[in-house]
Amino acid sequence: MAAKPIYRVVVHQQGEVWELYVREIFQSELWGFIEVEEFVFADAGRMVIDPATEKLERTFEGVTRSYLPLNAIVRIDEVEREGQLKAVKSDARVAEFPRPFPMPPRNE
């Protein structure tokens, strides 16, 4: 039996870009959200400790399922193996898409 695929999910979250690794990803029943499950974390015995990685591990520790808004997802890739979780400050301005816009007044 083939191993379950691993997905790299890149998300824009409050001025940071997060790179997460999960084994399950699918369309949520909640409109406008993607569900991700089975978070994959790097080896606990690693020698180098990255504060951003530790932050994400603490954030998702004990989380079985997370609902990510579609407009926050930058990219989803299927990868062969997990990588290190990343949280990088983003100076770029990321606009929400689709962005709600007001309807023009009706001329009657």
Side-chain angles (χ1 to χ4, degrees), residues 54-94:
E54 293 293 321
K55 172 188 167 185
L56 288 177
E57 286 179 358
R58 283 192 315 272
T59 300
F60 291 101
E61 183 179 6
V63 175
T64 56
R65 177 182 300 143
S66 187
Y67 298 88
L68 303 175
L70 284 173
N71 59 347
I73 296 175
V74 176
R75 180 183 183 127
I76 299 172
D77 296 317
E78 184 174 340
V79 295
E80 292 185 13
R81 67 179 76 89
E82 72 274 6
Q84 191 171 17
L85 300 178
K86 295 179 186 174
V88 180
K89 287 281 186 195
S90 173
D91 294 331
R93 295 179 55 102
V94 177

Side-chain angles (χ1 to χ4, degrees), residues 26-35 67:
F26 46 91
Q27 180 68 42
S28 175
E29 291 180 8
L30 294 172
W31 189 81
F33 288 85
I34 293 288
E35 290 183 40
Y67 298 88

Side-chain angles (χ1 to χ4, degrees), residues 4-5 7 12 16 20 22-23 26-27 37 49-50 65 68 74 79 92 98 100-101:
K4 286 175 112 177
Y7 300 96
H12 190 265
E16 293 183 335
L20 309 171
V22 298
R23 292 202 183 271
F26 46 91
Q27 180 68 42
E37 296 179 348
I49 297 175
D50 180 18
R65 177 182 300 143
L68 303 175
V74 176
V79 295
F101 56 91

